[in-house]
Amino acid sequence: MKKPELLSPAGNMESLYAAIEGGCDAVYLSGTLYGARSFANNFTNEELKEAITYAHLYGVKVYVTINTLIYEAEVKNFLTYVDYLVSIFVDAVIVQDIGMMDLLRSIYPDLEIHASTQMHIHNLEGVKLLEKIGVKRVVLARETPIELISEIKKNTKVELEIFVHGALCVSYSGQCLMSSLIGGRSGNRGTCAQCCRQPYTLLVNGQKRNKEEYLLSTKDLNTLENISKLIEANVDSFKIEGRMKRPEYVYFVTSLYRKAIDNYLEKGTVEIRKEDMNTLKKLFHRGFTKGFLFHEENNSFTNEYRPNHLGMTIGTVISKKGNFLELELTSDLQIGDGIRILGDKEDYGKEVDAIWLGKKKVKKAHKKETIRIFLKENVPVGSLVVKTTDIEELTSIKEKIANPSRKIFLNFFLEAKVGNPMKLKVEDGIHSFETKSDFIVEESKNSPMTEERIKSQLEKLGGTIYQVNSIQLECDSSIFIPIQKLNELRRIAVDKISELRLERIPIEKKEYYKEVPFFPIKREKTASISTLKDYEKIKNKGYDEIYVDKNTFEEIKNEKAILKIPRVQEYLHKENKNVLVGELGSVSFYPNAVSDFSLNVVNSYAVAFLHHLGIRKVTLSYEMNDYQIERLIDSYYNRYGKNPCLELIVSGPVEAMVLKYNLLKKYKAENQETVLIDKYHNRFPLKVKDNYLYIYHYQNKKTEDLEKYYDMGITSLRDSF
């Protein structure tokens, strides 16, 4: 049974130090460009170089996220940035954009590429396609069940990476357009506004159905109790979410998973202490779920009560007198702790600055004691009190991070023979270096150098990341060695070991080349429908092709009908028909298909990649504007000398999210008229298709001037119904 990699997040240098001290094997982070967490602090170029050097000394790998969609005008700067990452010896890059993935595989064939979870890979066929292209690792969709992961692993040599802890997207990653459609902040561009954490009302047949408001706010993933199953499934890397989290969180979560992995591999069991879980709750959580990875019950996947940090319950409000709250504690509380009182309509948070026990002020109060704290706001009696910050635990964790105990162990072999130079060999388990002194060992005339003194000098590695594991001596019985010469020899050897630990082979850059097919220029109009009612509306309107949902396709007898393959397909089944595909597994499975908007195509390299694989017509992303479309078409023609075959959706309802979580099933509202209403009174229609929930944008797409797109070079315009 192999040992999986533990992969931790780092939003800044402090979190990087925390992750490494916590015991990670690798970290993932972002520079200031092209990362899917634009609001994290992230790393400047100089900090990236420093981070990689620091991590590599510890034997920790560094993966840099460049996992946003890249528009045509950005490609040059994107490549300049990748050139820099290659020059500072990044271990891998994490990519979402299929065009940039293909471009990097062409020009940097030896650069390790990881397919981001934003690429929406969730089946064996998708993984096999990326394996064929040369991608080293796939970060599978968070919704992929453990049985399918195990099956994929048995049928591919590609490394598989799985999220094991942290925040979840309610939508399949890379398949959420809601933030982009509502406010222009695209999750595919790293600026998600987290619409799923906002309050909503569910209307079923015009009537409000929900009591709690945060209908789409997921709990946080926690797989500690199931870590053994992931190890047994031979998952290569366990990923912790949290580039927006503080260093203390990164350290503690990393250390918990480090212990869980090591305990299982050494003892066959995973021990989870209650006090550790309490600390975890106080650092950050929204409630915990084992996720669809381990078949979480649909109704237990979200926390509709609150979208923010829940902390740990430590007491109840038993009275409100003037500006003071009286609390009955179920856990300790001290000055400096952060608390939140959960009111009926509003929460009240504060840092505790004074505690009264009876008439006496105290620094710390204990379980079962009744205390008073200052709070002006009116809070209902019976309100729960949660601790969101434990100052004592935070201080303890900060001290551990500031005084790292993680060491690289060295073995020393010293030879000191009279009349010969001293020889010192140092090994770190991977590298070995041997050197000798310019000093010739002399026979001692007065006080010979003892073995204890030699070992004591070799052990002096303070201020470095190293610690002595063993020292072997081969010395004459009575020798004289100047301490300065022994120290100098040790310093030279240890410095060389550091050099060897940082040594990497430069990666060669090559020219990009891609063969693409020729497409004749023609103008088409297509339609996308779901129901027979839709078909009756459009059947006589002269559409060249009609994309039809699976549940309706067999009922339509029309040679222009094309089967829409769902964009979530955990297991693919061959259809001997013309098809529209919306995810990479289906791209490899169906030759001569049309690709849908959900493949997030925004640049000419992505178009070329799909055409090269046999896709006859490529649908562009909803997120493109006219200028970006024009740049894409011009660049494609200038580079390949041929026209692309492109489709653009110009009218109709827009799928904003696709979810494995079924809100309508939870509220027993399937097959009824349902909408979500946000705080601005926008109405988002809901529909269940192929057992997945689709949330539609509150506004249908409507384009007035269609001729300009044909003039640009768009082949086909689509109406959705």
Side-chain angles (χ1 to χ4, degrees), residues 592-609:
N592 202 38
V594 178
S595 69
D596 210 353
F597 72 92
S598 50
L599 282 165
N600 295 322
V601 171
V602 299
N603 58 64
S604 60
Y605 294 92
V607 177
F609 170 70

Side-chain angles (χ1 to χ4, degrees), residues 280-463:
L280 190 55
K281 288 178 180 178
K282 286 178 278 187
L283 283 168
F284 193 91
H285 81 114
R286 299 181 179 95
F288 289 127
T289 173
K290 59 188 177 182
F292 293 125
L293 173 63
F294 291 109
H295 307 289
E296 181 65 272
E297 292 294 326
N298 182 76
N299 293 3
S300 300
F301 187 63
T302 57
N303 176 13
E304 298 177 0
Y305 176 57
R306 291 289 190 282
N308 48 10
H309 177 28
L310 292 179
M312 186 184 83
T313 302
I314 61 158
T316 309
V317 176
I318 58 175
S319 72
K320 176 78 165 73
K321 297 176 182 177
N323 290 332
F324 287 89
L325 281 185
E326 193 171 27
L327 312 178
E328 187 173 77
L329 296 179
T330 57
S331 186
D332 294 352
L333 181 69
Q334 67 179 325
I335 302 297
D337 286 347
I339 62 170
R340 188 184 303 128
I341 298 96
L342 307 181
D344 289 338
K345 295 183 179 180
E346 194 172 352
D347 296 350
Y348 304 94
K350 69 169 291 174
E351 181 181 307
V352 177
D353 52 8
I355 301 173
W356 283 266
L357 184 61
K359 295 182 178 180
K360 183 181 177 182
K361 266 190 174 184
V362 296
K363 291 184 178 180
K364 187 172 185 177
H366 301 280
K367 181 178 178 180
K368 295 185 179 180
E369 291 181 339
T370 299
I371 63 166
R372 288 180 300 130
I373 63 170
F374 183 81
L375 190 75
K376 288 182 180 180
E377 290 82 3
N378 289 320
V379 175
V381 172
S383 296
L384 289 179
V385 182
V386 297
K387 185 187 289 189
T388 54
T389 303
D390 188 309
I391 191 64
E392 189 174 308
E393 290 177 349
L394 275 185
T395 301
S396 174
I397 293 172
K398 284 178 180 177
E399 288 176 356
K400 289 176 181 176
I401 298 169
N403 300 284
S405 61
R406 183 170 177 171
K407 297 291 183 181
I408 304 301
F409 291 97
L410 300 179
N411 299 312
F412 286 91
F413 306 85
L414 180 75
E415 179 185 301
K417 301 286 188 178
V418 174
N420 294 308
M422 273 191 301
K423 294 180 182 178
L424 179 63
K425 183 179 181 181
V426 182
E427 296 177 348
D428 66 355
I430 301 173
H431 308 94
S432 177
F433 177 71
E434 185 172 328
T435 185
K436 62 182 180 180
S437 172
D438 58 2
F439 171 76
I440 303 300
V441 178
E442 300 174 358
E443 185 175 357
S444 175
K445 297 178 180 178
N446 298 314
S447 53
M449 176 78 75
T450 65
E451 290 192 356
E452 289 74 18
R453 182 67 190 279
I454 293 171
K455 288 180 178 180
S456 174
Q457 290 304 123
L458 292 177
E459 286 173 348
K460 290 183 177 180
L461 298 171

